[in-house]
Structure formats: C-alpha cells, structure tokens
Amino acid sequence: MQFPVADELATRFTEAGHQLYLVGGTVRDAMMDRLGNDLDFATDARPERVRELLTGWADAMWDTGIAFGTMGAAKRGATVEITTFRSDAYDRMSRNPEVSFGETIEDDLVRRDFTVNAMAIDMATKKFVDPHDGRGALQRRVLDTPATPQESFADDPLRMMRAVRFVSQLGFTVAPRVLAAIREMAGEIERITAERIQAELSKLLCGRYPRRGIELMVDTGLADHVLPELPEMRLEIDEHHQHKDVYQHSLVVLEQAIDLEEPDTDPDLVLRLAALLHDIGKPPTRKFVEGGGVSFHHHEVVGAKMVRKRLRTLRYSKEIVEDVAQLVYLHLRFHGYGKGEWTDSAVRRYVTDAGPLLTRLHKLVRADCTTRNRRKAAALQRTYDDLEERIARIAADEDLARVRPDLDGNEIMRLLGLPPGPLVGKAWRYLKELRLDRGPLDHDEAIAELRKWAAEENITPPDES
C-alpha cells in the first residue's frame, strides 16, 4: 500500500520515539481494495504530544475529539485521525466510555467493535498486527467481536446497530454468537441517543445491501426498539390471501426504488425511507369486509402521520421528515388515474402537490408495483408512462414547476384596496385553485375572477374611475 502522507507521519513519529499504527476500518478497506482518503492511526503518544508532532506538518488541524484522545488533521487532500492507544472502561449505565489510555496496540485492538476492525499495520516496520484473526473473518466475510459479544455490546450497545449497518454496507454475515447476543441484548439499544441511532440507520439504508441489514434488524428484535413500525408490518395473512405480506412487499419496493436511482449518484436517503415506510399505515387501518375482502382505507394519510412521528423521534431534520411524509401521503394518488381519466386540472394538482419531490414520487410509484402478474405490471407501467407524458406536455405549455396565481399579492392588494393581511392570502389561494383547475388565465380574465370572488366575500374594491 502506497500512501505518502502515511509514510511522512510514520517518519515524524518514529524519529520522535513514538509508535504509529494504521488501524481499524482503514486497514479493512485497504484489504478490500476500497481505501479512500480518510486514514485512521493509533499511537502511544499522548494527545498533546500528537498535537506537537502535527504542528508544522499538517495543512489544517482540529481537536474536537481530544477529550477522547483523538486529533484530526488534513494534508494534501487526505484526512487523518490519530488516537492515543485506548483501554476504555465503561460503567455500562451511561452512553460514553470513561477514557483510559493504553500502553500497547494489543490493548487498543481488543476494545474495538469487530475483529475486521481490529487489525493494524506498524508504520515503522510495515508489520501486520492481527491478534484476533480479523483477516480470516474478512476472508469469510463474517462479523465477530474481539472480546465476547456480550461484553462488547454491554460496553457500547450502538455496536449492535453497527453490525447491521456493516451487513448492509459490506454484505457480511454475523457470527452465530454475535447474532445470539443481539437477540439477547436488543433492548440495551435504548441506552443510546436517538441521534447516534439515526446516523447508523441512515448509513444502513444507504448501503449496497440495505434489505439484508433491515431483515437482520427485524429478526433480532433491534427494530422493535429502533423502528417498531417495521416488524408491525408483518401482518398475518388470512386464509384467502386477500392482501400481500406488507413487510415483504415494502422490502421489495425498497429494492426496486434503489434500482431506479440515477447511476453514479449518491444513495437517495429520502427515497429509500419513503419506499421502506410507504405502507406503515396499513396495520392500523386494516379491516376485513364481507365476502372475504380486506381494506386499508386512508392508510396513506395515517402513514404520513406515523412517518412524521417516528422520524422526529429519530431526530431527522425537518426537511427529511416533511419530504418522506409527503411522499408517503402521495404514493397512492396515481391509482386514481385509471386509464387516463384524470383531467388536466388533476394532473396539475398532482405536480403541484409533489413540488420538488415529483421525480422521487415517479420512482416511488413505479417501485410500488410488485405484482407477479406480468400483464398487470406492464399495464401499470404503461399507464404511468402516459401520466408522465401528459405532465411533460402540460409543463411545456404552462411551466408547471412554478404554478402561481395569474395575479400576485401586490396586484391583489391594489385591485381590492386591501392592506397586507389574511384576506390577501385568501384571495391568492383562490386564484391559485382557479389556475390549477383551468390553467393559465389572461390578465383581464384573472381580474374579473378576482372581482367576482371579492363580491362574494363582501369586499368592495376601490373606484378606479
């Protein structure tokens, strides 16, 4: 492995009488031919000494992690983090370790989360250090822990979420003893803050194999504490099979939505969350009807509310919460399209309600088709093709991306003699609804409609004579 920045650091630390090891995920990724520009090191030097050794060499430095023994630096496009050997002790009640510095690399590696992250390279001698057979685990693509999994997860329960995240990102499986420990200790995840759990969940969803990670989270009981709506979607199927397995259907929709993402772009977290959660409103709305049928009336409305509540609990940003909830709310709208019966007004409303989410909504609706009936699936895709073509035609004529009333607020106030206030907003919304229903109006027609509305509201416009 050739990395000049690492060799330069090794020279500085060795000449100063200190050890420096490349460690953790950096070594793992190098062995998997996926090494990036982020390098992790461990050293026997204490944090203040590390700062001294970086001074004059680094292009930039930061010490936000110095309380945990970590200094960060940047050099020629590479980011490095150097952490003093650790031998942390956990009180197993709080969420953070009591930092204690170690003396050897072996002390440091045994406290790491998984054996594939417990390998190191001595930067002075290039000797490979692997006391827990991380290389063997990497070759077998298995996640195991250096200590017993019970000790590891008791120290930091977030490691259980990291396990399912690595399954998603790397396609690994978990060792039987790790699987058993997660099942036994899943409830311990409640010791962890929502923000840290959310970060792992997001990385899981943006991995290459998110279905595997989600299934592991559900099967071990972790989802009961992190995202309980998922296991609740495993509805018992009635003897007549009047509806799909909602949980399995949602996993397929997730995979199909991922297939529709643009190539060579970052994973779309909002789309993936919406695909996974689009039907979470089904369990509380399921009703059996006479004749053996089943209904889920308004599950999109209920689901949108549930999404908002859960994602807020997980401390997602307001933008992500609202975007995912809106996609869940709109995902059924297309099914009213039939064979093209929508009026142009309905098409405009579909586009306007989706707003900047329209492209994602297209993908979600297409992904939501999981029928095994090829003829039915093809018909649904053709129908959606037709809807997209209609949207394009109308958009070309009317600039649907920016549907606004034909009169702006200033003109409304001038024509009606109104000061800024609620009545202006009410008039603006009336004209926007009219615009959606009838398309663009010419200026005189818009003024006539505004005056007609004002008369119905008992608003007397000023005399313009």
Side-chain angles (χ1 to χ4, degrees), residues 94-115:
S94 68
R95 301 180 177 105
N96 295 314
E98 298 170 357
V99 176
S100 175
F101 296 131
E103 299 300 326
T104 68
I105 187 64
E106 288 78 15
D107 290 340
D108 185 88
L109 295 179
V110 74
R111 57 160 289 277
R112 292 180 177 263
D113 53 2
F114 302 107
T115 59

Side-chain angles (χ1 to χ4, degrees), residues 345 348 398 433-441 445 449:
S345 171
R348 290 188 198 100
E398 303 179 15
E433 290 296 311
L434 203 63
R435 168 76 168 74
L436 288 169
D437 283 337
R438 291 164 47 179
L441 306 178
E445 188 178 8
E449 290 293 344

Side-chain angles (χ1 to χ4, degrees), residues 179-199:
L179 185 65
I182 297 175
R183 285 179 172 149
E184 171 191 337
M185 303 177 67
E188 292 294 304
I189 197 67
E190 295 190 5
R191 286 167 44 196
I192 304 300
T193 63
E195 290 83 357
R196 295 179 72 203
I197 292 172
Q198 178 241 98

Side-chain angles (χ1 to χ4, degrees), residues 80-107:
V80 302
E81 285 197 346
I82 305 174
T83 303
T84 303
F85 293 155
R86 298 253 294 266
S87 58
D88 297 342
Y90 292 76
D91 62 16
R92 299 188 178 179
M93 294 296 290
S94 68
R95 301 180 177 105
N96 295 314
E98 298 170 357
V99 176
S100 175
F101 296 131
E103 299 300 326
T104 68
I105 187 64
E106 288 78 15
D107 290 340

